[in-house]
Amino acid sequence: MKLYYSAASPYVRKVMMTAIEAGLDKKIEAVPTVVTPTKPNADVARDNPLMKVPTFVTDGGEVLYDSRVICEYLDSLHTGRKLIPISGGERWRALRLQALGDGILDAGILTRYETFLRPEEKRWPDWIQGQLRKVTQGLDAAEQEADAFDSQLDIGQIAIACAIGWLEFRKPAGDIRSGRPKLFKWYEKISRRPSMQTTVPKG
Amino acid sequence: MKLYYSAASPYVRKVMMTAIEAGLDKKIEAVPTVVTPTKPNADVARDNPLMKVPTFVTDGGEVLYDSRVICEYLDSLHTGRKLIPISGGERWRALRLQALGDGILDAGILTRYETFLRPEEKRWPDWIQGQLRKVTQGLDAAEQEADAFDSQLDIGQIAIACAIGWLEFRKPAGDIRSGRPKLFKWYEKISRRPSMQTTVPKG
């Protein structure tokens, strides 16, 4: 299996954490890849016309993206406890929590593009403010739910953990710990897992 | 069941098409909703901190988002042929195609925000060009696959159809038909379904 990989991408981290928790990481060839919205990457484009990471190729040569699809595929390959509960309320809760984590990240990443990639004179404060509100409200919602985060790891928790890890790596929203004691108590605990420790963002 | 609804949103359309194809649309109360990235919407925020549509509330009061999660939930509620194949290669292909449709839309919507919502002097040609390249390459990939689109509808085809419908509604990429005869032959056919005809974008 092959993964277009970036050590700075929180969506790649979601895939790698899932692979590690599923015991599949040794079977994945990670191909270092640089993508940025304003520069085409012809190598990635051959497999994914959207030119994003993570992009994944199965042993059978089938291409899969995006991170949600890859994570679900990996979760189907092992016989241990599933990271995406198979059915019922547990499944919808985990998938909705994953969408929350991904949504916080989408807004955080748009903020970073605006404040880092875009030429300074073309930055739009209303846009930044709107995206940061999503980040802040999203984290506040996670704080309210943190007590209920199951001790059993699932894809929702993985997504929230990757979102927090990336927000603390790139800091588009500044300090995010203040006023969220339950969330960060849980985050400290999940951060001790090997799947978190070996995927700390770099770059 | 309740759906925060906008007749212009292609992601809401995906949910509505899924509901109609699953025979569930009559059970959904559609709540007209306006969201835009630069203005908070406190009503939506109560249920979804990301303040996006579609946001969905089950009969049991559980909140679900985003469109992928809602579509899968709806698909679990009926006993007919599933729009998201249950397992195997069919499932991964349909989910990857959905990710392609959603990714084309994400890039198209970012282009529209840049060329419509953002003040003119703050628009960045490199950003527009980068997003439009994703749209163009994504549609070209769909053209290459269109022959293989199964006559049986699935969530991947729904997503691609919603992407095309929205691109022709807002036109952020101009004419998209030229050079894609197979894709648009298929699109003309899928467009005759009641689930497409009753969800034509407006607004």
Side-chain angles (χ1 to χ4, degrees):
Chain A
M1 301 186 282
K2 183 172 109 173
L3 176 69
Y4 291 92
Y5 174 94
S6 156
S9 162
Y11 294 110
V12 168
R13 189 182 196 185
K14 237 175 74 184
V15 168
M16 286 307 300
M17 278 189 71
T18 299
I20 293 167
E21 296 287 347
L24 294 162
D25 52 306
K26 299 285 185 291
K27 298 183 177 169
I28 296 174
E29 177 204 355
V31 181
T33 305
V34 177
V35 289
T36 183
T38 51
K39 284 187 201 133
N41 180 322
D43 290 330
V44 181
R46 266 193 293 278
D47 284 321
N48 179 352
L50 304 170
M51 298 181 293
K52 292 181 177 176
V53 293
T55 294
F56 185 86
V57 187
T58 69
D59 282 340
E62 190 173 5
V63 177
L64 297 180
Y65 50 84
D66 49 19
S67 68
R68 290 196 203 173
V69 180
I70 303 167
C71 288
E72 194 184 313
Y73 175 75
L74 290 173
D75 203 35
S76 79
L77 295 184
H78 71 106
T79 53
R81 200 179 56 79
K82 295 299 182 185
L83 296 162
I84 307 172
I86 291 186
S87 62
E90 254 192 304
R91 181 175 179 90
W92 312 124
R93 200 163 42 247
L95 291 179
R96 195 262 308 148
L97 199 60
Q98 175 175 221
L100 177 60
D102 289 356
I104 290 170
L105 272 175
D106 285 340
I109 289 168
L110 285 174
T111 303
R112 179 165 166 86
Y113 287 151
E114 186 80 21
T115 55
F116 184 82
L117 194 64
R118 183 179 290 263
E120 221 168 320
E121 71 280 7
K122 296 192 183 301
R123 297 175 189 173
W124 185 25
D126 292 5
W127 179 261
I128 297 170
Q129 202 181 357
Q131 296 301 329
L132 283 179
R133 185 183 294 262
K134 293 176 198 285
V135 172
T136 303
Q137 290 183 175
L139 291 169
D140 288 343
E143 166 72 10
Q144 281 174 25
E145 284 193 67
D147 271 344
F149 287 174
D150 204 82
S151 56
Q152 301 238 299
L153 189 71
D154 68 23
I155 193 69
Q157 292 175 52
I158 288 175
I160 297 286
C162 290
I164 291 173
W166 185 84
L167 289 169
E168 297 215 305
F169 170 57
R170 295 299 198 197
K171 298 194 170 47
D175 167 52
I176 57 171
R177 297 206 171 208
S178 170
R180 299 182 184 113
K182 291 180 216 167
L183 183 63
F184 280 90
K185 190 178 160 197
W186 162 81
Y187 183 69
E188 290 305 323
K189 197 174 136 205
I190 196 175
S191 293
R192 291 195 288 268
R193 297 182 81 95
S195 63
M196 281 287 283
Q197 298 203 338
T198 56
T199 58
V200 169
K202 291 185 207 84
Chain B
M1 302 186 281
K2 183 173 109 173
L3 177 69
Y4 290 92
Y5 174 94
S6 156
S9 161
Y11 295 110
V12 168
R13 189 182 195 186
K14 236 176 74 185
V15 168
M16 286 307 301
M17 279 190 70
T18 299
I20 292 166
E21 295 288 347
L24 294 163
D25 52 307
K26 300 287 184 290
K27 298 185 177 166
I28 296 175
E29 177 203 357
V31 180
T33 305
V34 178
V35 289
T36 184
T38 50
K39 285 189 198 129
N41 181 322
D43 290 330
V44 181
R46 267 192 293 276
D47 284 322
N48 179 351
L50 304 170
M51 298 181 293
K52 292 181 179 177
V53 293
T55 294
F56 184 85
V57 187
T58 70
D59 282 339
E62 189 172 6
V63 177
L64 297 179
Y65 50 85
D66 48 20
S67 69
R68 289 195 202 172
V69 180
I70 302 167
C71 288
E72 194 185 314
Y73 175 76
L74 290 172
D75 202 35
S76 79
L77 296 184
H78 70 108
T79 53
R81 200 180 54 77
K82 295 298 183 187
L83 296 162
I84 308 171
I86 291 186
S87 63
E90 255 193 304
R91 181 176 179 90
W92 311 125
R93 198 163 45 247
L95 291 179
R96 195 261 308 147
L97 198 60
Q98 175 176 222
L100 177 60
D102 290 356
I104 291 170
L105 271 175
D106 285 342
I109 289 169
L110 285 173
T111 303
R112 179 164 165 86
Y113 288 151
E114 187 80 19
T115 55
F116 184 82
L117 194 65
R118 183 180 290 263
E120 219 168 322
E121 71 278 9
K122 298 195 182 301
R123 296 174 189 173
W124 186 25
D126 292 6
W127 179 260
I128 296 170
Q129 202 180 357
Q131 296 301 330
L132 282 179
R133 186 183 293 263
K134 292 176 197 288
V135 172
T136 303
Q137 290 183 174
L139 291 169
D140 288 343
E143 166 72 10
Q144 281 175 24
E145 283 193 66
D147 270 345
F149 287 174
D150 204 82
S151 56
Q152 302 238 300
L153 189 71
D154 68 23
I155 194 68
Q157 290 175 53
I158 288 174
I160 297 286
C162 289
I164 292 174
W166 185 84
L167 289 169
E168 298 216 303
F169 170 56
R170 295 300 198 195
K171 299 194 169 46
D175 167 52
I176 56 171
R177 296 204 173 210
S178 170
R180 298 180 185 116
K182 291 181 216 164
L183 183 62
F184 280 90
K185 190 178 162 197
W186 162 81
Y187 182 69
E188 290 305 321
K189 197 175 139 207
I190 196 175
S191 294
R192 291 196 287 269
R193 297 183 82 93
S195 63
M196 282 286 282
Q197 297 202 340
T198 56
T199 59
V200 170
K202 290 184 207 81

